[in-house]
Amino acid sequence: MATLRLAGIIFATTGLLGTVCAQEAAAPSAPGKLTVTVGKSLIIDSPMKISRISVANGELIEAVPVNPKEVLINGKAPGETSLIIWQEGGNRIPYDLTVRISPARLDVVRQQLARDFPNEEINVTYENETAFVRGLVKDVTSADRVMAMTASLGKTVNL
């Protein structure tokens, strides 16, 4: 007789409904994938009572039990981490969490660069926890200023 395990219903703070995942208990549990933005939250709803939660890197997210069937996830810093939720009865629900940088924060840096360097073409993109800076400036001092301003986003690479 096969037993089914419900892996959870995920609601983002935007009100969008995530996915429901059912698996046979005998099958290995593949982690669910979640994304949260720095400074934002999402809620994980469990159909069963939650007995314990564990976060691999507490510097990236905060996991707060809201009630016996809900966990609030707060994005603290960009990066990737894992979350495991244990339900009553021993079921485990693993999640891979990606915490992304706020698009508004990236826009602020781009706007500041445009104000401070109006005659320069400087492009800043953000991928995989790294800010990539492309463009040309008039001298090394300007390049150092651009990199210092971009460093507020985290790790930077001068291309």
Side-chain angles (χ1 to χ4, degrees):
M1 173 195 299
T3 306
L4 293 180
R5 178 170 63 191
L6 193 56
I9 302 173
I10 304 159
F11 292 91
T13 55
T14 59
L16 298 175
L17 177 63
T19 58
V20 178
C21 177
Q23 299 178 338
E24 287 192 31
S29 181
K33 299 202 183 293
L34 299 175
T35 301
V36 65
T37 302
V38 173
K40 302 284 185 172
S41 301
L42 64 86
I43 296 174
I44 300 174
D45 285 329
S46 172
M48 299 171 60
K49 287 185 177 181
I50 297 168
S51 61
R52 186 170 39 139
I53 57 176
S54 177
V55 174
N57 187 343
E59 293 180 14
L60 302 182
I61 66 164
E62 174 185 42
V64 180
V66 177
N67 67 43
K69 293 185 176 185
E70 288 182 340
V71 177
L72 177 68
I73 305 297
N74 297 313
K76 293 170 46 177
E80 293 183 0
T81 189
S82 299
L83 168 73
I84 301 174
I85 297 175
W86 283 265
Q87 297 175 324
E88 284 186 352
N91 290 336
R92 290 184 307 264
I93 307 170
Y95 293 99
D96 287 335
L97 279 103
T98 300
V99 184
R100 64 181 183 182
I101 193 163
S102 168
R105 189 168 164 203
L106 181 57
D107 286 343
V108 166
V109 169
R110 287 176 176 157
Q111 290 168 6
Q112 186 66 44
L113 289 170
R115 277 192 300 273
D116 288 3
F117 301 95
N119 299 323
E120 311 292 342
E121 287 189 37
I122 302 167
N123 182 24
V124 179
T125 57
Y126 193 87
E127 295 179 35
N128 298 323
E129 305 173 40
T130 304
F132 295 94
V133 183
R134 294 174 178 86
L136 297 172
V137 292
K138 63 182 178 179
D139 56 33
V140 174
T141 303
S142 295
D144 289 343
R145 277 190 60 214
V146 167
M147 294 308 291
M149 293 167 68
T150 309
S152 68
L153 300 171
K155 181 180 168 188
T156 60
V157 175
N158 183 348
L159 299 173

